[in-house]
Amino acid sequence: METSLKIFNSTSYYDAGQLLENLSIKETTREPLECKQEINSNGLFDFIIYGVLMNLVGLFGIFGNAISMIILSRPQMKSSINYLLIGLARCDTVLIIISILIYGLPVIYTYTGQLFDYKFIVHPKIVRFLYPLSCIAQIATVYLTLTVTLERYIAVCHPLQARSFCTYGRARLAVLVIVLFSFLYNLPKFWEVDYYAEVHWKYNVTIYCIYPADLRSNNLYVTVYVHWMYFFICYLFPFLALVIFNAAIYQRVRKANRDLQQLSRHQRREIGLATMLLCVVIVFLICNILPLASNIHETFFSDPPHWLVQTGNLLVTINSSINFIIYVIFGRKFKRIFLKLFCNSKLFRPGRDSPEFQTYDESIVTNMTNIELRNSIRHYHVNRSSTINRNNNVSNGSMRQSVKISARPASPGPCVYYPARSPVRSPSQMSATSSTQNGWSKKDVNSSL
């Protein structure tokens, strides 16, 4: 989120000389000012970008991230990569909520005149805390995305080291270190924002306006910390690392797709998961291009154009809200659990994409092939038919009892969807059917004995 100094664009700080100059302009032009700014100077554009698009996208993102956290927290989804994705969803949710509070709600008053109390009383008092929190969430989101990429790089390109490096404990430690680093790096931002009071020109009530504190007015602090360090830590280093790691992952995925028949089931899962997370990183890079351009313009030239800053903030909010869609499209297991938890199972026929078809794999992608499904069903029928065949000479009463007993598998097999039990037939029909299913004849039995 390109929040550095951008919250001050609408409430710039003025010294005594500038204040007198603005008062003289006000007396000459008779145009009212709010917090030393013209009313509705960018009202329509800000309302469309922030008041409509950001609020709608943010609400969808909060809803989608909440579902993602619920699904990824399921016991059958427990893994190191999913724990990193849960941390990413949490930071994205915090960033979305703060973006709505900082940008989405105040701009509604600018164009419609609603939410006056929030704009001039609540917002100036809470933005001094929300602004550094948004920077913390932004840095954490960037480096969690980088950590997810690094984890996939090790799992795909160095599978022998993945067992020792890609563990659940290391994932928890990585999330803790990233959050702690983000907090310590953005700690000075808690002293960058302040507010002052003035009397509103129309309602004659006391309102509060935001302005940069003394720390933010220090040229050395702004040049070194706000511009250069922010550029290297938040953009240059993570972007270069993401490009390098994902280029290596992409090359490995291409090679694996050419040799797909030679891969094991576990390797196919890792490749499928790497493909999904590759899409997450591509969306991240695309949505952060405009914020990167805005930061470069501010660091090396001057303040960026207003439309560039606003559109960049909207794209960052979109990036924090869209991961849920990527998980549903590319994560088969994620989609199955989502349908099972939040959709009506009667709408889906039993099968690989059915909510009733449960899997217990560690990754998001599917964990059972069609061949394994057919083998498990065939194994079930063999056990059942052999049990019936052994009890073929028993009376009809004991025959029914043996059928009931044989309907239970001898040992717990994989959790798959079995077809409905066929009607009870006569003993002769059942004997003939069992012999046919097993592929044995009396001649074959005698010869084998």
Side-chain angles (χ1 to χ4, degrees):
M1 181 71 63
E2 186 67 19
T3 54
S4 56
L5 194 66
K6 301 306 176 287
I7 60 173
F8 307 129
N9 284 349
S10 59
T11 55
S12 300
Y13 174 73
Y14 290 87
D15 56 21
Q18 291 174 323
L19 179 59
L20 293 176
E21 181 180 355
N22 288 327
L23 290 176
S24 62
I25 295 175
K26 179 179 178 180
E27 293 177 356
T28 304
T29 59
R30 301 293 182 180
E31 292 181 359
L33 300 176
E34 289 178 340
C35 294
K36 307 179 182 68
Q37 290 289 315
E38 295 182 2
I39 300 176
N40 293 335
S41 56
N42 296 291
L44 180 59
F45 182 79
D46 289 349
F47 179 74
I48 294 176
I49 297 296
Y50 287 161
V52 178
L53 297 179
M54 179 175 285
N55 288 334
L56 292 178
V57 172
L59 291 177
F60 172 80
I62 295 172
F63 179 74
N65 288 333
I67 295 178
S68 298
M69 287 185 283
I70 293 174
I71 295 177
L72 295 175
S73 300
R74 305 288 293 180
Q76 60 267 40
M77 300 290 286
K78 184 177 181 180
S79 65
S80 61
I81 186 65
N82 289 344
Y83 188 84
L84 294 175
L85 294 179
I86 292 174
L88 180 62
R90 290 171 179 171
C91 293
D92 283 336
T93 304
V94 172
L95 187 60
I96 293 171
I97 294 175
I98 295 177
S99 299
I100 293 176
L101 294 176
I102 292 180
Y103 301 106
L105 296 182
V107 78
I108 294 177
Y109 167 79
T110 307
Y111 187 74
T112 64
Q114 304 296 323
L115 300 180
F116 175 85
D117 291 338
Y118 181 82
K119 166 71 176 179
F120 293 108
I121 299 178
V122 178
H123 177 259
K125 294 181 179 180
I126 65 174
V127 75
R128 60 192 304 182
F129 305 105
L130 295 179
Y131 167 62
L133 289 177
S134 67
C135 297
I136 294 173
Q138 180 191 8
I139 298 293
T141 299
V142 171
Y143 281 91
L144 281 174
T145 305
L146 179 59
T147 306
V148 168
T149 301
L150 180 61
E151 200 269 356
R152 284 297 89 195
Y153 170 78
I154 296 175
V156 173
C157 299
H158 303 281
L160 298 179
Q161 287 77 26
R163 185 177 296 274
S164 59
F165 283 97
C166 303
T167 62
Y168 195 79
R170 289 181 182 270
R172 297 179 62 179
L173 180 62
V175 173
L176 179 62
V177 170
I178 289 174
V179 173
L180 183 61
F181 166 76
S182 302
F183 175 78
L184 294 177
Y185 174 77
N186 293 284
L187 191 61
K189 294 186 181 295
F190 283 93
W191 291 273
E192 288 189 9
V193 186
D194 205 347
Y195 64 91
Y196 65 95
E198 70 175 34
V199 179
H200 194 265
W201 65 277
K202 181 179 181 181
Y203 301 105
N204 197 25
V205 295
T206 301
I207 61 175
Y208 301 96
C209 304
I210 307 170
Y211 78 97
D214 295 337
L215 181 62
R216 187 62 186 236
S217 303
N218 188 294
N219 292 329
L220 181 62
Y221 173 82
V222 172
T223 302
V224 176
Y225 176 77
V226 176
H227 289 166
W228 286 101
M229 291 184 63
Y230 184 82
F231 172 72
F232 280 101
I233 293 179
C234 189
Y235 287 107
L236 185 61
F237 169 72
F239 272 50
L240 289 178
L242 286 173
V243 171
I244 294 173
F245 287 132
N246 282 278
I249 294 174
Y250 176 74
Q251 294 295 330
R252 182 67 182 89
V253 169
R254 286 190 59 186
K255 182 180 178 181
N257 289 332
R258 290 196 300 264
D259 304 330
L260 191 61
Q261 300 299 328
Q262 302 178 3
L263 299 179
S264 64
R265 183 162 58 93
H266 176 74
Q267 290 174 328
R268 293 183 184 182
R269 290 198 305 267
E270 297 297 334
I271 294 298
L273 183 56
T275 303
M276 184 193 72
L277 297 178
L278 187 63
C279 297
V280 172
V281 174
I282 291 175
V283 172
F284 173 83
L285 294 175
I286 293 175
C287 291
N288 281 274
I289 288 178
L290 287 185
L292 174 61
S294 176
N295 185 265
I296 293 175
H297 194 288
E298 182 181 6
T299 302
F300 296 98
F301 302 102
S302 60
D303 289 341
H306 181 75
W307 66 269
L308 183 62
V309 176
Q310 315 299 70
T311 309
N313 289 338
L314 175 62
L315 287 177
V316 172
T317 306
I318 293 175
N319 175 70
S320 299
S321 307
I322 204 172
N323 287 342
F324 168 74
I325 299 177
I326 299 176
Y327 299 158
V328 172
I329 294 176
F330 294 95
R332 292 185 179 181
K333 185 178 181 182
F334 186 94
K335 180 171 64 176
R336 284 198 297 270
I337 297 179
F338 169 73
L339 295 177
K340 179 182 177 181
L341 293 178
F342 300 99
C343 300
N344 187 2
S345 59
K346 295 181 180 180
L347 300 177
F348 306 95
R349 290 167 30 176
R352 288 181 57 84
D353 293 331
S354 172
E356 299 176 6
F357 192 87
Q358 299 179 4
T359 55
Y360 298 92
D361 198 33
E362 289 186 354
S363 61
I364 294 179
V365 293
T366 182
N367 72 333
M368 179 173 288
T369 60
N370 290 328
I371 297 176
E372 294 172 322
L373 178 60
R374 289 195 297 268
N375 290 338
S376 63
I377 296 176
R378 187 182 297 111
H379 178 70
Y380 166 76
H381 284 295
V382 169
N383 290 337
R384 180 181 178 183
S385 60
S386 61
T387 305
I388 296 175
N389 194 25
R390 286 195 302 267
N391 296 276
N392 199 19
N393 297 323
V394 190
S395 62
N396 292 337
S398 60
M399 171 67 71
R400 295 191 183 95
Q401 183 179 2
S402 65
V403 170
K404 294 181 180 179
I405 297 175
S406 63
R408 301 175 183 176
S411 61
C415 184
V416 296
Y417 178 82
Y418 294 115
R421 185 181 301 176
S422 58
V424 178
R425 293 167 292 183
S426 63
S428 59
Q429 291 176 342
M430 296 177 66
S431 177
T433 303
S434 61
S435 300
T436 304
Q437 290 178 348
N438 290 331
W440 292 87
S441 62
K442 294 182 179 179
K443 181 179 180 180
D444 294 332
V445 172
N446 294 331
S447 62
S448 64
L449 293 176

